Amino acid sequence: MKNYFSPNISNKGRLVRGLVALALLVGAGFGFLLSVWLGAALLASGAVALFEALRGWCALRACGIKTKI
């Protein structure tokens, strides 16, 4: 399991995931105004993207799927 969470993306990928996380978390703030479920879904997605950015790890790449960034 330790190898599963080993870093597998470059700094460019980390930056992109960080920006995506920021956008999702800001969207969650607005999403809660419309629907609790929408806000919660955006918040959870933003948290996963933030974890990937901070860790330098991509869940899709860990599963063997090739990504461009």
Side-chain angles (χ1 to χ4, degrees):
M1 191 67 150
K2 193 172 190 176
N3 289 336
Y4 185 73
F5 287 109
S6 63
N8 61 4
I9 57 175
S10 66
N11 286 337
K12 184 178 177 183
R14 292 178 77 172
L15 178 64
V16 169
R17 280 162 183 79
L19 293 174
V20 167
L22 180 63
L24 287 169
L25 293 174
V26 168
F30 291 111
F32 276 115
L33 298 175
L34 297 174
S35 166
V36 174
W37 292 107
L38 176 62
L42 290 173
L43 183 66
S45 299
V48 169
L50 183 63
F51 173 77
E52 287 183 343
L54 293 175
R55 183 80 176 140
W57 173 77
C58 177
L60 293 175
R61 282 188 167 217
C63 293
I65 299 171
K66 302 288 183 187
T67 59
K68 292 186 182 212
I69 298 176

